[in-house]
Amino acid sequence: MKARIPKGAGGAQNMNQVIKQAQRMQDQITELQEEIEARDFSATAGGGAVEVVLTGKKTIKSLTLKPEIVDPEDIEMLQDLIISAVNEAINNIEAETEVEMGKITGGVSLPGLF
């Protein structure tokens, strides 16, 4: 017994539409990735004593320390605050990327894209 495909449910024209839609989505994703990479993301720790600014490419652009946070007797606290601020900024980048990608993909996860 042969399966019947309803008219208009397949064919080259429908496939071309799917391909065009996928290409548009790919272009939008590429544009979004470029936009995010060009943006700056900042985060603070220690009540603003440490501020870090990262690019969308996750590279540190600037690091600001308030003088009162620098205690030669407690270097570990300063290190922890810096790590905390950097990790928060990275999380901000990833969260923003996920939200913006969700707008393009309709919430469908596309592994390997971001």
Side-chain angles (χ1 to χ4, degrees):
M1 180 177 215
K2 292 185 178 181
R4 293 184 187 199
I5 299 174
K7 289 186 178 184
Q13 184 179 16
N14 198 21
M15 183 58 79
N16 285 338
Q17 289 175 339
V18 170
I19 290 170
K20 285 179 184 180
Q21 184 178 5
Q23 287 172 337
R24 276 194 308 270
M25 186 182 295
Q26 183 178 1
D27 291 343
Q28 289 174 323
I29 289 170
T30 300
E31 182 180 326
L32 175 62
Q33 287 173 328
E34 290 171 357
E35 288 175 14
I36 287 174
E37 287 177 356
R39 289 172 48 191
D40 291 342
F41 294 82
S42 64
T44 61
V50 174
E51 180 182 17
V52 66
V53 177
L54 272 67
T55 68
K57 290 183 177 184
K58 299 179 186 170
T59 59
I60 296 175
K61 185 173 184 176
S62 69
L63 174 65
T64 306
L65 306 174
K66 288 191 176 178
E68 61 268 17
I69 197 68
V70 181
D71 180 359
E73 301 296 321
D74 196 2
I75 296 297
E76 287 182 19
M77 180 187 68
L78 180 56
Q79 291 169 333
D80 289 344
L81 290 173
I82 293 169
I83 290 168
S84 177
V86 169
N87 286 337
E88 182 180 337
I90 290 171
N91 288 338
N92 292 344
I93 295 167
E94 291 174 354
E96 183 70 17
T97 301
E98 188 174 322
V99 167
E100 294 298 323
M101 284 291 183
K103 291 177 185 176
I104 294 172
T105 64
V108 175
S109 178
L110 301 172
L113 289 181
F114 58 95

